[in-house]
Amino acid sequence: MNDKSLNNQKPPRQAHWFLKTSAGLIAGFWLALALTGCFAWAGPGHIDTPDRVQFLMWMITPIWLLILAAVYFFRSGWHAWGVLLALNLVSWSGVHLLRGVAS
């Protein structure tokens, strides 16, 4: 190959980037909320502990960003959506279960 043929090559396109990003933004946000809710209801004192609400509010963002970064390790965008929706189902079930036990 000569130098001219190397300059004409296009960079590889990242497949499924839009689906992966939307999965991380939408399903990842709801998953971060559910995981934070599980922690809120499972810990000692439940949600009524002083300063717990403030701590939980600030924990949503790092959890969401970790999920958003992790979606790019999936092999496709549809796989990311499927896994995140399944994790959402499990996590939100856990929140409702823990709220029922705590009440």
Side-chain angles (χ1 to χ4, degrees):
M1 287 188 152
N2 58 18
D3 290 332
K4 289 182 181 181
S5 65
L6 289 175
N7 291 335
N8 291 333
Q9 291 179 348
K10 294 180 182 178
R13 185 172 88 71
Q14 296 294 325
H16 305 279
W17 69 268
F18 181 77
L19 284 173
K20 290 177 183 180
T21 303
S22 63
L25 287 174
I26 298 167
F29 173 72
W30 288 103
L31 181 58
L33 286 177
L35 293 174
T36 305
C38 285
F39 180 73
W41 290 101
H46 305 294
I47 198 77
D48 298 329
T49 306
D51 299 327
R52 178 170 256 187
V53 174
Q54 186 73 19
F55 174 73
L56 294 171
M57 179 187 71
W58 286 102
M59 285 307 300
I60 293 171
T61 304
I63 293 170
W64 187 17
L65 289 176
L66 284 171
I67 295 167
L68 184 58
V71 296
Y72 296 104
F73 289 110
F74 288 106
R75 62 183 164 216
S76 73
W78 293 114
H79 189 243
W81 269 104
V83 169
L84 288 179
L85 289 176
L87 289 173
N88 265 299
L89 181 65
V90 170
S91 298
W92 282 104
S93 298
V95 168
H96 291 294
L97 178 71
L98 290 169
R99 280 184 67 188
V101 170
S103 301

